[in-house]
Structure formats: structure tokens, C-alpha cells
Amino acid sequence: MNSEFLRSPWLLLAVVLGVLGAFLLTLFALPIPGWASIVLGVGALVVALVRTRA
């Protein structure tokens, strides 16, 4: 795995948004903000991948 990818702030953002989404879904039963956070996290992951490969 690329060490530059692991240090990417976009990867950190993706992980935080994914965990926040899971937290909102499971503990507070808020489906709209939970899934929105997860989708934004996946988007941040894609940005991290694109930025480190280019």
C-alpha cells in the first residue's frame, strides 16, 4: 500500500465520515444523516485514491 495514501487527509476524512455514519445509524437511528455521511465518506475515499495515483 502506498504510504502517501495512508497519510492523506482525504483518507482520514473518509474514515471519520464512515464511522460517524455508522454511529448515527446504529445508536441514534437517523437513516438520512447516517447514509449521507457514509456516502460522503466513500466520496472522500475516491478522492484520496485519485489524488495519490495521479
Side-chain angles (χ1 to χ4, degrees), residues 12-35:
L12 176 64
L13 180 64
V15 170
V16 168
L17 286 173
V19 169
L20 177 65
F23 185 77
L24 288 173
L25 280 172
T26 57
L27 294 179
F28 295 118
L30 297 171
I32 302 298
W35 281 110

Side-chain angles (χ1 to χ4, degrees), residues 22-53:
F23 185 77
L24 288 173
L25 280 172
T26 57
L27 294 179
F28 295 118
L30 297 171
I32 302 298
W35 281 110
S37 178
I38 291 171
V39 168
L40 288 173
V42 169
L45 180 62
V46 169
V47 169
L49 286 169
V50 169
R51 289 181 59 115
T52 55
R53 304 227 187 237

